[in-house]
Amino acid sequence: MPFIVTPEGKILAQSSTIMKYICKKGGLCPANSFDEATADMISDGVVDLVLQFVKIYYEKDETKKEELKKEFYGTTLPPRLEKYEALLKNRDEGKGFFLGEKLSYADITFFDFFNNFQSKGKEDVPGELEKFPLLVEHYKRVLNVPEINEWVKKRPVTEY
């Protein structure tokens, strides 16, 4: 189980708890409670996608694995991407981040899923986003955050 020890010597566990703690410290959390709930909704939706993707990854039966992939990429992912694009469009016509002009953990979580699991850590925009132009631009916008871009370029090569 992931955990961190804070500078004050306190221990926190669980990935999403750690992420939110660090993001609050780093100014990547929304300022109001509704926007924070929206960021949680986006992030939790991405976690749902990750769990489905992991299920595909670990499936041993190749026939079943192909069925799961077909369901994920054909049935599950497209309507989710439509919803994410609609959320993005509701803020500044999709010209910024999910919650407006300021990057948040929702943007990073979304980018992380597509960069790690779909683009395998490369800078390429994943093909799954091609039919969603606002999400393509969002992906590029997050990738162009200097610290994120630097990490993507220097990160260790891993399978995911």
Side-chain angles (χ1 to χ4, degrees):
M1 170 183 344
F3 74 94
I4 64 167
V5 179
T6 70
E8 302 81 24
K10 297 177 181 178
I11 297 173
L12 287 174
Q14 298 297 339
S15 298
S16 61
T17 301
I18 293 167
M19 176 198 62
K20 282 188 72 176
Y21 171 80
I22 291 169
C23 286
K24 280 186 181 187
K25 292 280 192 186
L28 294 170
C29 278
N32 69 60
S33 59
F34 185 80
D35 282 352
E36 186 172 353
T38 302
D40 287 346
M41 175 183 70
I42 292 165
S43 295
D44 291 346
V46 171
V47 168
D48 291 345
L49 293 174
V50 169
L51 292 175
Q52 290 180 7
F53 190 82
V54 168
K55 185 177 176 183
I56 294 167
Y57 179 80
Y58 284 108
E59 178 57 54
K60 301 258 187 251
D61 182 309
E62 288 301 319
T63 302
K64 177 71 174 167
K65 183 179 272 204
E66 288 306 312
E67 289 171 9
L68 291 170
K69 279 183 185 178
K70 185 177 178 182
E71 180 181 344
F72 181 76
Y73 290 109
T75 306
T76 302
L77 192 57
R80 292 281 186 95
L81 293 176
E82 286 175 12
K83 288 181 172 99
Y84 284 122
E85 185 155 82
L87 284 168
L88 192 57
K89 187 174 183 168
N90 283 337
R91 300 285 178 122
D92 195 26
E93 291 297 308
K95 295 181 180 126
F97 297 104
F98 277 118
L99 299 171
E101 294 180 16
K102 188 176 176 219
L103 180 73
S104 75
Y105 62 87
D107 303 292
I108 296 169
T109 302
F110 184 87
F111 173 83
D112 182 61
F113 172 72
F114 284 95
N115 181 256
N116 283 324
F117 293 103
Q118 306 306 313
S119 290
K120 308 242 194 273
K122 295 182 174 82
E123 295 179 66
D124 306 330
V125 175
E128 293 78 11
L129 298 180
E130 287 177 0
K131 293 181 182 176
F132 305 93
L134 295 179
L135 293 178
V136 167
E137 291 308 310
H138 175 266
Y139 183 91
K140 291 176 182 177
R141 205 172 293 116
V142 175
L143 179 62
N144 286 327
V145 171
E147 296 85 353
I148 292 173
N149 190 271
E150 181 182 335
W151 169 250
V152 168
K153 286 180 178 176
K154 75 174 187 180
R155 70 176 280 224
V157 176
T158 59
E159 188 174 1
Y160 292 106

